[in-house]
Amino acid sequence: MAELLPPLPLRRHLVANAIALAPSGVALVVLVWIGALPLLHALVAFGAITFVTAIVVRRYLLSVGRFARFVEALSHGDEAEVPRFVLSPAAEELAGGVAALARLWRRQRASIDSLSASAQAIVDGLPDPLLGIDRNRRVVRFNRAASTLLGPIETGRDLSATLRQPALLDAVDAALAGTPVQEPAEIVVPGPPERILAAHVAVLPRPTDDGSSVLVVLHDMTALRRAERMRADFVANASHELRTPLASLVGFVETLRGSARDDAEARDRFLGIMAEQTGRMRRLVEDLLSLSRIEQREHEPPTGRVELGPLLKGLVEMLEMKARPRDVTLRLQVAADLPAVIGDRDELAMAFQNLIDNAVKYTRPGTQVMVEAAPVNGGVRLVVHDQGEGIAAEHLPRLTERFYRVDTARSRQMGGTGLGLAIVKHVLNRHRGRLEVTSTVGEGSSFTVLLPAEQFSTTARKPAGS
Ligand SMILES: Nc1ncnc2c1ncn2[C@@H]1O[C@H](COP(=O)(O)OP(=O)(O)O)[C@@H](O)[C@H]1O
Ligand SMILES: [Mg+2]
């Protein structure tokens, strides 16, 4: 197929032909001059030479044009085919060399592209947010974790447009000035949710291609700080809970040794109160120990097989003794086809006892507490329903926190430690179960436990059971 080529400029044609014809023209003129060739013959010969030269020059010029376009195509990164060059072996050789060079360049380009793609993939895959900062403190690069945490980030803008915490900006300025601070800066990113981050600022040995001179890596400390605060609060709360009955015991001991030494009636009364306070301390210590034991085992799946019917029957019978003086009736309804669950019998008993005990404590005197256990798809549902004052919605999310009580004085007066529902939560976590609380103020509350049934439980069962 004929190749469509743009017409060559006439001037280039004329110049090339003139150069090619010059030697033979000069030779013919000399031959005519010395009389070796008649003028007519010389003109015919020059005409013939001009005709052949014009054809050869045209083909040559077309080859050069083709070569130029070939090189241009390669320089645009296209994979051009080496064109055919007629009467121009040098051009053909050159084109082959250029094509080989282009192939090599393309291979290197591909490996550079793949290197930079894997570098970006590694940076993107980092769980911690990372920002690349240039000499003028502008953000020039960031990874996916950074945009997830900080929202949309615009490159080319000063770091303060993304993070305006002075501690971080000072640390970056110091790093850019050549005096990096070793300690990470702790910054708070306003929420919601509010985040506490440790910002590590690292100076790169030399700026990268994108201009990054300093890297800022952010590490989320929110969970750690929250855990630290919870631990401190827990210790403070536990000490406070123990100190109150202890202070009362100390007071009564003093009184019994002093003014009430010979007062038999006061002594009896005080000893009664002291017994009550020691009971409170004992319950608190027992609950604290239970909680710590359950927490230690929380990641060990239970292995026993528990029939809930008999377990609940035993608990209800035991708690009836407590319900009767309050004129509370306890009703238990267990579905006949209730499946067994994989669990730790003692822990489940402790959890259910806490829920039924709460219902008995907080229901109105003269009312009924209903305990129902029934199968639900894939599991077992236990509902403890009371007719108490109910719990306002704002308290519901915090009920399972340690020492959280809606009415602290009332809880204490009823002998509560404020740890019962925390124990329930940790027991259910270990059993891959769930607690749901619904309540209507003035009408009552329902505490619902959902547990996976034996055949749906992924935990292994010990051959001997337990
Ligand atoms: N059935 C209930 N009705 C009303 N309030 C309840 C009920 N169960 C729990 N609560 C509230 O939740 C708080 C936490 O319960 P819990 O951890 O068992 O502590 P405690 O029973 O020792 O007070 C209780 O102090 C009480 O305010
Ligand atoms: Mg309780």
Side-chain angles (χ1 to χ4, degrees):
M1 213 172 78
E3 192 185 352
L4 271 181
L5 291 170
L8 290 169
L10 182 65
R11 205 169 143 256
R12 194 182 301 170
H13 249 299
L14 292 177
V15 171
N17 277 304
I19 293 169
L21 287 171
S24 35
V26 169
L28 287 173
V29 167
V30 170
L31 287 176
V32 172
W33 185 262
I34 60 171
L37 196 67
L39 181 62
L40 189 65
H41 290 189
L43 286 176
V44 170
F46 188 69
I49 291 170
T50 304
F51 179 72
V52 172
T53 303
I55 290 173
V56 172
V57 162
R58 185 181 140 73
R59 284 196 170 262
Y60 176 75
L61 286 181
L62 285 175
S63 290
V64 170
R66 239 180 250 137
F67 181 72
R69 271 186 302 283
F70 168 65
V71 172
E72 199 182 316
L74 289 181
S75 74
H76 288 140
D78 300 344
E79 193 135 3
E81 220 177 283
V82 182
R84 282 192 55 72
F85 296 104
V86 184
L87 299 177
S88 188
E92 204 158 336
E93 216 168 287
L94 268 178
V98 169
L101 200 66
R103 272 197 299 278
L104 178 72
W105 179 79
R106 260 199 299 275
R107 267 206 305 278
Q108 283 186 345
R109 177 70 205 263
S111 85
I112 289 169
D113 283 353
S114 111
L115 267 177
S116 111
S118 26
Q120 184 60 39
I122 289 171
V123 169
D124 267 341
L126 289 176
D128 282 343
L130 178 144
L131 299 165
I133 311 295
D134 76 358
R135 277 174 38 230
N136 300 314
R137 214 179 69 179
R138 288 180 305 216
V139 177
V140 286
R141 160 175 229 163
F142 59 90
N143 66 353
R144 208 173 298 142
S147 47
T148 308
L149 178 81
L150 305 169
I153 300 171
E154 243 181 87
T155 50
R157 295 188 63 190
D158 190 84
L159 173 64
S160 61
T162 306
L163 285 163
R164 63 179 72 86
Q165 285 69 10
L168 171 63
L169 298 177
D170 289 349
V172 171
D173 287 342
L176 288 172
T179 49
V181 190
Q182 298 305 321
E183 287 293 298
E186 190 150 311
I187 59 172
V188 178
V189 177
E194 186 186 86
R195 301 239 161 246
I196 302 166
L197 306 169
H200 300 262
V201 178
V203 184
L204 293 172
R206 61 194 166 88
T208 57
D209 274 358
D210 56 19
S212 301
S213 296
V214 161
L215 287 183
V216 173
V217 182
L218 303 171
H219 186 65
D220 198 341
M221 309 285 281
T222 319
L224 189 70
R225 292 283 177 269
R226 194 183 297 143
E228 282 172 1
R229 203 173 51 223
M230 273 171 66
R231 202 189 50 205
D233 285 354
F234 176 65
V235 172
N237 278 327
S239 321
H240 178 75
E241 291 288 331
L242 282 169
R243 200 175 57 185
T244 318
L246 194 62
S248 138
L249 282 178
V250 170
F252 284 117
V253 169
E254 297 281 298
T255 321
L256 284 173
R257 284 172 133 182
S259 58
R261 184 194 286 266
D262 301 318
D263 184 341
E265 193 207 331
R267 203 168 50 216
D268 278 355
R269 198 155 41 88
F270 292 165
L271 282 174
I273 301 172
M274 286 167 78
E276 208 175 282
Q277 295 299 334
T278 42
R280 186 171 149 195
M281 286 174 80
R282 200 197 59 230
R283 277 195 304 279
L284 191 66
V285 171
E286 276 170 3
D287 276 359
L288 285 171
L289 285 173
S290 303
L291 196 57
S292 109
R293 261 198 307 269
I294 297 164
E295 266 193 315
Q296 274 169 14
R297 284 193 302 228
E298 199 164 323
H299 300 291
E300 250 175 63
T303 49
R305 182 172 185 276
V306 187
E307 293 282 359
L308 295 183
L311 175 78
L312 289 169
K313 198 157 170 276
L315 287 175
V316 165
E317 272 165 16
M318 185 180 82
L319 284 160
E320 250 160 7
M321 309 226 290
K322 190 171 178 179
R324 217 166 292 135
R326 301 201 65 233
D327 197 15
V328 170
T329 39
L330 264 170
R331 271 198 61 199
L332 173 67
Q333 220 171 58
V334 178
D337 57 345
L338 191 71
V341 297
I342 296 290
D344 180 312
R345 195 189 157 80
D346 292 346
E347 284 189 7
L348 287 177
M350 204 183 326
F352 298 156
Q353 185 192 332
N354 260 301
L355 294 177
I356 305 171
D357 177 69
N358 279 351
V360 168
K361 277 194 305 193
Y362 296 110
T363 198
R364 279 187 295 270
T367 59
Q368 190 184 61
V369 166
M370 182 78 188
V371 182
E372 280 174 291
V376 280
N377 50 350
V380 169
R381 183 176 61 199
L382 174 100
V383 186
V384 181
H385 180 74
D386 67 60
Q387 295 167 23
E389 295 307 326
I391 307 160
E394 73 258 29
H395 297 294
L396 294 181
R398 299 194 58 189
L399 280 191
T400 56
E401 284 177 22
R402 291 147 202 229
F403 297 117
Y404 188 84
R405 291 124 145 174
V406 177
D407 180 342
T408 308
R410 175 142 185 239
S411 158
R412 286 210 183 113
Q413 182 213 329
M414 308 288 273
T417 58
L419 292 171
L421 291 179
I423 291 176
V424 172
K425 181 179 86 173
H426 286 282
V427 168
L428 294 183
N429 279 352
R430 185 176 175 216
H431 287 75
R432 302 197 313 117
R434 220 166 65 228
L435 176 71
E436 284 170 7
V437 188
T438 52
S439 187
T440 311
V441 175
E443 283 185 19
S445 317
S446 288
F447 285 73
T448 305
V449 169
L450 293 156
L451 284 170
E454 184 186 13
Q455 64 267 41
F456 294 98
S457 183
T458 51
T459 53
R461 205 178 122 200
K462 266 187 198 157
S466 73

